Amino acid sequence: MKELFCCLLSIMCILITDCGNAKADPAINVAIGATSDSANSEADIVDDTEPEFSYDDLRQTEFWFGSGAGGWRTTMTIQKDGSFEGEYSDSDMGDVGEGYPHGTAYYCKFGGQLSELTKVDDLTYKAELIDISYENPVGGEDYIDDVRYIYSDAYGLDEADTIYFYLPGTKREKLPEECLIWVEQAMYDNNGNSLDQLNFVCLYNEAEKEAFYSYSLAEN
């Protein structure tokens, strides 16, 4: 009986020792620590990426297309849903005749819709011109205040299909040469120094190689 009791006591001591070793097993502790650290790291991750460009970023922004010479220009604004509206105007006060002694003006008021934006790279997006319409039929004429008005299409968006948006920070060398010709007139800082990258959003009509630069309506 005494021998059986001693045997049972020895077995119990072995079991207690093994349980203690299991609790102190460094491999287990490391695994637990790794899981805890991983969870904490995931919790500490903050998404600091820049938000995607959208039409909503163009609120209070007007696009301007012109050569810088002469009185002609096309202006347009784009809403957050991709719809747009604008005006084109030009004049030739020397083009006079009976009923229009004060000259001839070319004009249109237009509106339309762009497709959803597609990202090309971090500083370039594109969209398709879905629709464009005019307040007055293209080619029509009116005589108002001794001026002949000839209703035109939207110069700058004529024959447009794919429209590219180049964002601020785009380098000169990244812009198509035909695009740069139109917008480099605006690539200056407040001190009149020429810039080697865009400081505005550029809208480029690839089909006709025509480009608009933008400015803030709020600042103007």
Side-chain angles (χ1 to χ4, degrees), residues 12-25:
M12 290 177 63
C13 288
I14 292 172
L15 291 174
I16 291 173
T17 301
D18 288 343
C19 289
N21 289 339
K23 291 180 181 179
D25 189 339

Side-chain angles (χ1 to χ4, degrees), residues 44-144:
D44 291 340
I45 293 176
V46 177
D47 185 3
D48 59 356
T49 57
E50 292 294 325
E52 295 292 316
F53 173 70
S54 72
Y55 290 126
D56 194 40
D57 296 317
L58 300 176
R59 61 187 180 278
Q60 294 298 311
T61 298
E62 183 169 74
F63 288 91
W64 193 94
F65 172 60
S67 66
W72 71 272
R73 66 175 183 175
T74 303
T75 60
M76 64 179 291
T77 56
I78 302 175
Q79 306 304 313
K80 65 180 181 180
D81 63 354
S83 62
F84 62 88
E85 59 182 17
E87 293 183 340
Y88 162 71
S89 62
D90 191 10
S91 60
D92 184 352
M93 295 301 97
D95 183 1
V96 299
E98 185 177 353
Y100 55 103
H102 292 168
T104 300
Y106 300 87
Y107 176 79
C108 78
K109 187 172 184 179
F110 60 89
Q113 182 68 48
L114 295 171
S115 70
E116 292 185 5
L117 289 164
T118 299
K119 185 175 182 179
V120 178
D121 58 44
D122 288 343
L123 295 177
T124 310
Y125 287 75
K126 67 178 181 178
E128 304 303 314
L129 180 63
I130 296 175
D131 176 66
I132 187 168
S133 59
Y134 297 92
E135 187 175 85
N136 303 99
V138 175
E141 294 186 9
D142 271 330
Y143 295 82
I144 304 172

Side-chain angles (χ1 to χ4, degrees), residues 64-66 156 178-180 182-183 202-205 209-213:
W64 193 94
F65 172 60
E178 299 86 353
C179 174
L180 184 60
W182 290 106
V183 301
C202 169
L203 184 157
Y204 180 54
N205 172 6
K209 315 300 182 186
E210 297 159 345
F212 295 67
Y213 65 81

